[in-house]
Amino acid sequence: MKHILALVLSIFITSTTIAQTGNQSPLSIKTIMQGDNFVGHLPSNAHWSADGKTIYFSWNPEGAFSDSLYAYTLSNGNTNKVDFETSYNLPQPSGNSNITNKSSYVDPYDHITYNSDRSKSIYTKHGDIYLVDQKDYSVMQITNTLDTESNIQFTANDTKIAYVKNGNLFTWSLETGITEQITDFTNKKNSTSERSEQDEWLYQDQLGIFDVLSERKAKNDANEAFNKRNLNKRPLEIYTEGKFVTNIQISPNGKFVTYELYQAPKEANGTIVPHYVTESGYTEDQHTRTKVGSEQGTYEMFIYNIEARTFYPVVLDNLKGLDDIPEYTKDYPDKAYKNDNRISYISGPNWSKDSKYAVLDINSNDFKDRWIVSLNYEDGSVKNLVRQRDEAWIDGPGISSFGGSALGWLPDNETIWYMSEATGFAHLNTTHVNSGKTKALTEGNFEVYDVYLSKDKKHWYFTSNKTHSGDRQFFSMPLKGGKFTQLTSMIGNNDVVLSPNEEYLAVLHSYSNKPTELYLQKNPLFGKTSEQPKQITHSTTEGFEAYPWRDPELITFKAEDGATVQARLYQPSAATKNNAAIVFVHGAGYLQNAHSWWSVYFREYMFHNILADNGYTVLDIDYRGSAGYGRDCRTGIYRHMGGKDLSDQVNGVQYLINNYGIDKNKVGIYGGSYGGFITLMAMFNEADTFKAGAAIRSVGDWAAYNHGYTARILNTPVSDSLAYKRSSPIYFADGLKGDLLILHGMVDDNVHFQDMVRLNQRLIELEKHNWEMVLYPLERHGFVEPSSWTDEYTRIFNLFQESLLDGNNTQKD
């Protein structure tokens, strides 16, 4: 690569100068790569006190080592830091707290659970169980142990609290305070050696000859019968055959326990990630995941009838389409398809409150089917209710191919609600468990997120991008469907947590160029109000506020197949425009970045402002595979990563050339993780479009990535080798013409450094010389050190300066 020495030296000459040529920005890469210390530490994890008088949230306005708990009091409008002892003893958060807990001030919570009439609730904290009286919000601690109690629920018609501890189910009586063990799972099988036919003859002959032996046997038999009567008062011992017990639940009436047995796969080869820079001074090995296609574990569900003291399997042989063969196998007519057991994780059962019905949510291990079935808990049989089939893979908002999708009961206790992509977008549906009648409660070319019922069960609350694909607002809707009522109005993202009485909304809101702040708003359903949401926090620093951050324009363009693609556009001023363009490719894992709220890629957002200051036009595309645009966009990369997701980048560049005066010989591309993968594919397969690229923490060969993500999109290397060969950059490295910069953390335990080492070797064998690799010995997949971020993005900036603005567009020797 031309001027390598100049590129390296530029990093050390100054920390404030962005480049040696071209225009200057008032920002420095070193400054913006300080992350939260420059932007400000933003509020998160908002939740309400049980009485609805206080909003608690994580915050760090002081720039301390970590976030702390803060409290906003509605009565006086004061915000105060909560001391450790108070924080430790506070009850479980109330309301619909769907926000990820990112701070370290509190232990992870289980969900809060109410009894039938909502007079009492239970929660776990610090591994112990607490009972709350909803009349006066008094709290009673039920357990105080070094063990962890989990999976809490009310049972026995709300007279007992059930929980799991050390792999078994227990109940605690609200009336007597007695703790009772309900299950007794064991890996130790009682050995009762069977006698051969010959030995049995000798045994009976001995008893017939010797009276003493016969009398002793009779006494032992009587004693065993007496002991058995005592044992019948204890939990039934259930032998697990060496399998792991998981998902233990009890019915609301307390009569049935369901559980799953997980059979781990045989020991498979994992990847060793060496750590070279260590405190010990020695190389230390980290053992990490296996690769896609490795053998996966299996699940079986069982029912334990407590009164009858019997247990039996849940039989799933009649699942609709259980034996269906995926369509992609048609590409391999000479290869037999084998998948003996398609059952993966089984979620549930989700019981109706009267214990009359129970439903299971089941996923297939090839990720192409989801079944919702009604469970007959008397015999373990199931009745098909809903089958969701996708020849690509099941997923989408509220629909998880990992299990645990959004699902619940309507007040009639005979109708379930769930999310479905049947119309092409994720929407709320209901199905009656007896008649099987299904109804879509929402419909349209938009997505619905985070659905739940109101406290009075008369209407729904949910978030949706109905107003615009890049705008998320909070809505309500009647129980049976109908008109949406928009409850928030600030453009951007509105992450809402309702107060316990639903009168107020705590809103974590952000806009494209305005980071997240906490707001308080009256719920419009509780009377019309013209009051604007009240901002509670102010988090951004003076340094951040001193710069006029761009509000990137949301644009759309047509892809080559006619699809509409949305993107963020950052434009330079006419005076600084250099007719060069940079395409940024966001990561995957189902993500959206061309939207109107503060991006998770906030460092990249600030970097794009620097690029624009220096004359570059920046395009950030929600390519095929991105979230927020429905099923067809989500699955547009099926069996061909680097297909439509890459052509969307190329079409975006052509749009810039046609409409914004971009020089076709001055286009660069960069991104991290999936964005790094696309960068590699762009540099190898679209060399005439992209003259320079920076690939960060990139996947070079999908056969080296994990099973959970990759097998959904590409199936497995053994069953669908074509998909892997057309999707993996390592097979196309010979196409490299422009300047390529590879940046990777050496202790990355997500996309292993080994992947880039293999690509390194391939480029050497192909005698490519216009590339270089920069390594970060102490960084994993997500960088944490500001020095690493600074080094990384300074190199990326200088790559574009060297390759796009100096006329260095030819392949190097």
Side-chain angles (χ1 to χ4, degrees):
M1 193 175 295
K2 187 178 180 181
H3 305 315
I4 295 298
L5 181 60
L7 185 150
V8 175
L9 288 176
S10 67
I11 297 171
F12 302 101
I13 292 174
T14 174
S15 64
T16 57
T17 301
I18 298 301
Q20 290 71 49
T21 62
N23 307 288
Q24 297 296 309
S25 171
L27 298 169
S28 76
I29 291 178
K30 182 175 182 179
T31 297
I32 66 172
M33 293 303 159
Q34 303 306 304
D36 291 343
N37 288 332
F38 171 63
V39 176
H41 296 266
L42 311 180
S44 64
N45 193 34
H47 55 278
W48 290 84
S49 61
D51 59 11
K53 296 179 179 180
T54 305
I55 303 174
Y56 293 105
F57 56 98
S58 304
W59 201 27
N60 185 12
E62 301 169 345
F65 177 73
S66 64
D67 287 1
S68 297
L69 184 66
Y70 279 76
Y72 172 81
T73 306
L74 270 67
S75 61
N76 56 25
N78 291 337
T79 300
N80 296 293
K81 187 175 181 179
V82 180
D83 64 81
F84 173 79
E85 287 299 325
T86 302
S87 172
Y88 189 89
N89 293 309
L90 277 174
Q92 155 74 12
S94 296
N96 58 308
S97 185
N98 298 318
I99 302 166
T100 302
N101 178 13
K102 76 161 191 174
S103 68
S104 58
Y105 77 85
V106 64
D107 294 335
Y109 289 107
D110 276 355
H111 64 280
I112 190 166
T113 302
Y114 291 88
N115 62 357
S116 298
D117 63 5
R118 298 181 69 90
S119 62
K120 291 181 172 58
S121 65
I122 49 177
Y123 64 90
T124 60
K125 189 174 182 182
H126 315 302
D128 292 313
I129 303 172
Y130 295 80
L131 174 67
V132 181
D133 188 325
Q134 292 296 312
K135 294 180 181 179
D136 58 9
Y137 308 110
S138 58
V139 178
M140 176 181 180
Q141 187 168 353
I142 304 302
T143 63
N144 187 6
T145 70
L146 295 179
D147 296 317
T148 297
E149 288 84 30
S150 62
N151 289 28
I152 56 171
Q153 60 184 112
F154 285 100
T155 188
N157 300 316
D158 292 338
T159 64
K160 296 181 179 180
I161 296 170
Y163 60 93
V164 173
K165 181 177 73 171
N166 294 330
N168 275 298
L169 185 77
F170 296 79
T171 61
W172 180 84
S173 172
L174 276 72
E175 297 177 357
T176 66
I178 294 176
T179 297
E180 180 181 1
Q181 184 170 340
I182 304 300
T183 63
D184 182 17
F185 296 110
T186 179
N187 276 324
K188 297 180 180 179
K189 188 174 184 179
N190 292 327
S191 58
T192 54
S193 56
E194 296 184 2
R195 290 182 286 270
S196 66
E197 185 177 358
Q198 169 66 17
D199 290 342
E200 180 65 23
W201 185 91
L202 289 173
Y203 176 75
Q204 296 297 338
D205 187 59
Q206 292 293 95
L207 294 177
I209 295 173
F210 301 104
D211 293 340
V212 173
L213 293 180
S214 180
E215 290 171 1
R216 288 180 177 178
K217 181 181 182 305
K219 290 180 180 179
N220 287 336
D221 288 347
N223 188 51
E224 287 183 8
F226 180 80
N227 289 336
K228 188 175 182 179
R229 287 192 302 172
N230 290 335
L231 289 174
N232 285 340
K233 298 295 183 181
R234 312 294 291 174
L236 177 68
E237 187 177 73
I238 299 176
Y239 176 52
T240 62
E241 302 177 344
K243 300 174 183 178
F244 180 73
V245 183
T246 185
N247 193 22
I248 307 171
Q249 297 192 45
I250 191 169
S251 60
N253 61 15
K255 295 182 178 181
F256 297 91
V257 174
T258 59
Y259 60 95
E260 287 183 62
L261 294 182
Y262 172 70
Q263 177 65 66
K266 297 177 182 178
E267 186 173 351
N269 291 328
T271 300
I272 296 175
V273 176
H275 292 234
Y276 293 100
V277 181
T278 63
E279 293 181 5
S280 68
Y282 293 91
T283 300
E284 299 172 5
D285 290 339
Q286 177 186 354
H287 294 268
T288 62
R289 59 164 175 79
T290 58
K291 301 183 189 302
V292 58
S294 61
E295 183 182 352
Q296 302 299 297
T298 59
Y299 294 88
E300 302 170 275
M301 178 170 276
F302 293 83
I303 301 172
Y304 171 38
N305 185 321
I306 299 173
E307 294 180 356
R309 293 178 59 79
T310 59
F311 63 94
Y312 39 90
V314 173
V315 182
L316 302 174
D317 295 345
N318 67 326
L319 292 181
K320 186 177 180 181
L322 181 61
D323 297 325
D324 283 5
I325 297 175
E327 286 184 359
Y328 77 85
T329 58
K330 295 177 182 178
D331 288 347
Y332 306 94
D334 299 326
K335 182 190 293 185
Y337 178 75
K338 185 178 180 181
N339 191 349
D340 296 332
N341 179 12
R342 291 185 65 221
I343 303 300
S344 183
Y345 188 72
I346 307 169
S347 297
N350 195 317
W351 295 84
S352 60
K353 286 190 175 181
D354 57 8
S355 295
K356 186 177 180 180
Y357 301 106
V359 294
L360 303 176
D361 190 353
I362 307 166
N363 289 275
S364 62
N365 60 14
D366 59 8
F367 313 109
K368 302 184 189 306
D369 272 295
R370 176 195 181 195
W371 298 275
I372 301 175
V373 300
S374 176
L375 172 65
N376 184 334
Y377 43 85
E378 296 285 355
D379 61 10
S381 63
V382 299
K383 171 187 173 184
N384 286 275
L385 295 176
V386 178
R387 181 197 183 194
Q388 296 179 354
R389 172 76 175 180
D390 195 316
E391 284 295 339
W393 74 97
I394 292 287
D395 213 334
I399 312 162
S400 173
S401 50
F402 286 98
S405 301
L407 189 151
W409 289 89
L410 294 190
D412 65 2
N413 283 320
E414 293 184 346
T415 305
I416 58 169
W417 63 265
Y418 55 93
M419 299 295 293
S420 171
E421 280 187 325
T423 63
F425 290 80
H427 282 293
L428 176 62
N429 287 252
T430 61
T431 295
H432 194 278
V433 294
N434 286 326
S435 69
K437 183 179 179 180
T438 294
K439 179 182 180 182
L441 298 187
T442 62
E443 57 184 347
N445 293 342
F446 56 87
E447 306 270 58
V448 170
Y449 309 86
D450 303 328
V451 179
Y452 56 96
L453 280 167
S454 62
K455 186 177 179 180
D456 61 11
K457 310 297 183 185
K458 292 182 179 180
H459 57 268
W460 301 95
Y461 288 113
F462 54 86
T463 301
S464 176
N465 61 357
K466 184 178 184 297
T467 54
H468 186 277
S469 57
D471 180 44
R472 293 193 183 179
Q473 301 293 338
F474 192 58
F475 294 87
S476 68
M477 180 184 70
L479 181 66
K480 295 183 179 181
K483 182 181 177 181
F484 287 20
T485 300
Q486 186 173 328
L487 304 179
T488 55
S489 59
M490 295 183 289
I491 296 174
N493 187 44
N494 294 279
D495 205 341
V496 174
V497 185
L498 280 168
S499 61
N501 63 5
E502 301 176 2
E503 186 177 354
Y504 289 95
L505 284 62
V507 186
L508 287 169
H509 171 264
S510 69
Y511 185 65
S512 300
N513 57 359
K514 296 178 181 178
T516 302
E517 299 289 2
L518 179 61
Y519 293 78
L520 174 66
Q521 178 188 324
K522 184 81 178 255
N523 188 344
L525 297 182
F526 282 71
K528 293 184 178 180
T529 174
S530 59
E531 295 180 7
Q532 293 297 311
K534 178 182 179 180
Q535 184 172 337
I536 294 174
T537 60
H538 181 272
S539 309
T540 50
T541 66
E542 291 183 2
F544 176 84
E545 293 169 358
Y547 178 84
W549 298 100
R550 287 171 175 80
D551 181 1
E553 181 183 356
L554 290 182
I555 65 167
T556 60
F557 60 87
K558 287 293 183 181
E560 61 186 22
D561 63 353
T564 299
V565 180
Q566 186 163 296
R568 273 186 170 190
L569 179 67
Y570 301 75
Q571 294 195 66
S573 66
T576 61
K577 187 173 181 177
N578 57 23
N579 297 325
I582 306 299
V583 175
F584 169 67
V585 189
H586 67 67
Y590 209 38
L591 185 142
Q592 179 182 7
N593 203 47
H595 50 61
S596 295
W597 59 86
W598 187 244
S599 175
V600 294
Y601 291 95
F602 66 95
R603 288 183 179 86
E604 289 79 357
Y605 163 79
M606 294 187 290
F607 181 59
H608 296 162
N609 277 266
I610 288 179
L611 289 173
D613 285 346
N614 283 268
Y616 292 95
T617 300
V618 182
L619 191 65
D620 175 0
I621 301 172
D622 271 345
Y623 52 86
R624 238 68 68 88
S626 296
Y629 307 96
R631 183 264 172 194
D632 288 349
C633 181
R634 177 179 67 79
T635 62
I637 57 175
Y638 178 58
R639 298 190 69 207
H640 192 184
M641 296 174 173
K644 292 181 180 179
D645 45 359
L646 175 56
S647 63
D648 286 346
Q649 317 296 330
V650 175
N651 298 154
V653 171
Q654 190 60 50
Y655 178 82
L656 293 182
I657 293 171
N658 294 343
N659 296 277
Y660 292 89
I662 297 303
D663 185 336
K664 67 178 182 178
N665 295 312
K666 294 182 177 181
V667 180
I669 186 171
Y670 89 100
S673 195
Y674 198 97
F677 151 73
I678 287 292
T679 298
L680 293 176
M681 292 293 271
M683 296 301 293
F684 297 162
N685 288 341
E686 296 290 345
D688 292 337
T689 301
F690 300 101
K691 307 306 177 185
I696 311 167
R697 51 188 178 274
S698 319
V699 174
D701 184 353
W702 285 109
Y705 199 50
N706 67 36
H707 186 87
Y709 176 79
T710 319
R712 286 166 166 73
I713 306 172
L714 300 181
N715 304 306
T716 66
V718 171
S719 67
D720 197 1
S721 58
L722 292 174
Y724 282 81
K725 287 188 176 179
R726 65 181 168 221
S727 299
S728 296
I730 198 167
Y731 295 106
F732 304 99
D734 192 35
L736 177 63
K737 295 180 182 178
D739 295 331
L740 174 63
L741 174 63
I742 300 172
L743 310 106
H744 212 99
M746 294 181 69
V747 292
D748 190 333
D749 47 13
N750 181 15
V751 179
H752 297 148
F753 173 51
Q754 177 196 22
D755 197 0
M756 284 301 99
V757 173
R758 294 174 65 243
L759 181 62
N760 182 317
Q761 178 61 28
R762 183 62 182 145
L763 291 169
I764 292 171
E765 292 177 2
L766 291 169
E767 299 183 2
K768 300 291 182 180
H769 305 296
N770 49 329
W771 64 279
E772 60 176 8
M773 182 183 293
V774 181
L775 309 179
Y776 298 88
L778 288 174
E779 296 292 359
R780 298 182 186 273
H781 194 62
F783 282 21
V784 295
E785 298 298 333
S787 58
S788 300
W789 281 101
T790 301
D791 180 89
E792 183 177 46
Y793 277 82
T794 302
R795 292 178 185 274
I796 293 171
F797 184 90
N798 286 336
L799 166 73
F800 295 144
Q801 290 289 101
E802 290 285 321
S803 298
L804 303 182
L805 299 187
D806 287 350
N808 182 30
N809 298 317
T810 59
Q811 187 173 352
K812 301 173 182 61
D813 296 330

